[in-house]
């Protein structure tokens, strides 16, 4: 499964259907969609040309393909500020041959060249209502912004055993894309300012991003 990825696509909520239809036209068998909320600071939204922060978050499994990412960037206009961002995270395994064949049956041209990991996706799970606390901490270490989706947690009794605290069931999941060099400072800041010892009760982890589209203009300008 070293050639399979989970693609995470974040765009304006009004474009979610268009983006999902494009991936289905490429052969994707299952595209999951969630409603999200942008957290970027006003100046970042102005830079990207975004007027609204309501987001669509699409999740789909795919064979790893740099060509597919480049095609998506071109045909979905991801290099245009405000259109969206696509990132690919490696999948280590899929349970069951039928499930694997179903999720990865569509054909995509693979690249033979392994790429250096330049960005990571930081995932923060925090108590509902504390996104600002998480993002203030992340921005203090250089993060530009993130996208939040609402979730409901379980396992609060187990958390009390390990952390000695009660966890709220209502959660916010915050996705923060960061350069690999910025990952540790951002995660440390979130843990220090919004970790389990605070009301946010945030848990933080990161995932490598193998392919990326939608940040070209930011990268050229030197912004995170």
């Amino acid at each position: 499964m070293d050639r399979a990825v989970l693609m995470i696509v974040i765009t304006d909520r009004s474009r979610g259907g268009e983006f999902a239809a494009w991936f289905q036209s490429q052969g994707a068998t299952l595209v999951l969609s969630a409603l999200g909320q942008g957290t970027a600071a006003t100046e970042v939204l102005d830079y990207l040309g975004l007027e609204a922060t309501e987001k669509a978050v699409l999740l789909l499994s795919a064979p790893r393909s740099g060509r597919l990412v480049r095609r998506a960037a071109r045909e979905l206009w991801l290099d245009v500020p405000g259109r969206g961002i696509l990132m690919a995270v490696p999948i280590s395994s899929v349970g069951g041959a039928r499930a694997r064949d179903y999720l990865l049956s569509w054909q995509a041209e693979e690249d033979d060249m392994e790429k250096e990991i330049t960005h990571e996706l930081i995932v923060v799970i925090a108590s509902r209502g504390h996104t600002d606390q998480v993002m203030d901490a992340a921005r203090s270490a250089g993060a530009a912004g993130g996208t939040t989706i609402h979730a409901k947690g379980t396992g609060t009794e187990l958390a009390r055993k390990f952390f000695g605290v009660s966890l709220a069931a209502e959660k916010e999941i915050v996705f923060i894309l960061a350069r690999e060099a910025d990952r540790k400072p951002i995660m440390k800041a979130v843990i220090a300012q919004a970790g389990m010892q605070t009301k946010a009760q945030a848990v933080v982890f990161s995932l490598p991003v193998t392919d990326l589209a939608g940040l070209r203009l930011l990268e050229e300008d030197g912004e995170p």
Side-chain angles (χ1 to χ4, degrees):
M1 294 301 300
D2 58 335
R3 305 301 298 179
V5 296
L6 173 69
M7 286 191 176
I8 303 172
V9 185
I10 301 173
T11 186
D12 187 84
R13 195 171 295 182
S14 63
R15 299 190 185 99
E18 170 195 346
F19 277 40
W22 186 88
F23 283 103
Q24 289 172 334
S25 74
Q26 301 302 305
T29 52
L30 179 65
V31 181
L32 302 177
S33 179
L35 301 181
Q37 192 76 14
T39 66
T42 302
E43 60 270 19
V44 176
L45 292 175
D46 291 342
Y47 179 88
L48 292 174
L50 298 176
E51 297 179 355
T53 59
E54 291 186 334
K55 303 296 181 186
V57 181
L58 307 180
L59 305 171
L60 63 141
S61 58
R64 181 177 175 184
S65 171
R67 292 184 179 89
L68 176 64
V69 172
R70 290 192 293 272
R71 189 182 308 130
R74 182 176 64 253
E75 297 184 10
L76 295 176
W77 297 83
L78 293 179
D79 281 339
V80 175
R83 285 289 295 183
I85 185 171
L86 181 156
M87 62 197 96
V89 175
I91 295 175
S92 61
S93 63
V94 174
R98 288 187 178 181
R100 180 196 62 214
D101 293 342
Y102 170 68
L103 293 173
L104 301 172
S105 60
W106 57 305
Q107 299 297 315
E109 297 178 10
E110 295 185 357
D111 290 331
D112 295 329
M113 183 184 301
E114 292 296 330
K115 300 177 182 178
E116 178 185 2
I117 300 298
T118 60
H119 289 75
E120 296 224 5
L121 178 63
I122 298 172
V123 182
V124 185
I125 304 173
S127 297
R128 186 178 185 183
H130 293 274
T131 299
D132 288 344
Q133 183 178 349
V134 169
M135 288 309 307
D136 286 346
R139 288 193 187 99
S140 72
T147 299
T148 300
I149 59 176
H150 181 64
K152 188 171 183 179
T154 61
T156 56
E157 291 300 321
L158 190 61
R160 184 179 292 110
K161 173 182 177 181
F162 281 97
F163 299 111
V165 296
S166 296
L167 297 184
E170 300 297 316
K171 299 293 183 184
E172 307 283 8
I173 301 176
V174 185
F175 296 118
I176 302 171
L177 181 65
R179 292 190 180 96
E180 200 282 331
D182 298 328
R183 172 182 57 85
K184 285 186 179 180
I186 293 173
M187 293 181 69
K188 286 182 178 180
V190 171
I191 292 170
Q193 301 176 42
M196 292 299 299
Q197 77 283 1
T198 71
K199 291 183 178 180
Q201 297 182 327
V203 176
V204 189
F205 60 92
S206 69
L207 300 168
V209 175
T210 56
D211 291 284
L212 182 63
L215 281 187
R216 182 178 62 83
L217 296 179
L218 285 176
E219 292 297 314
E220 290 179 353
D221 196 58
E223 294 290 335

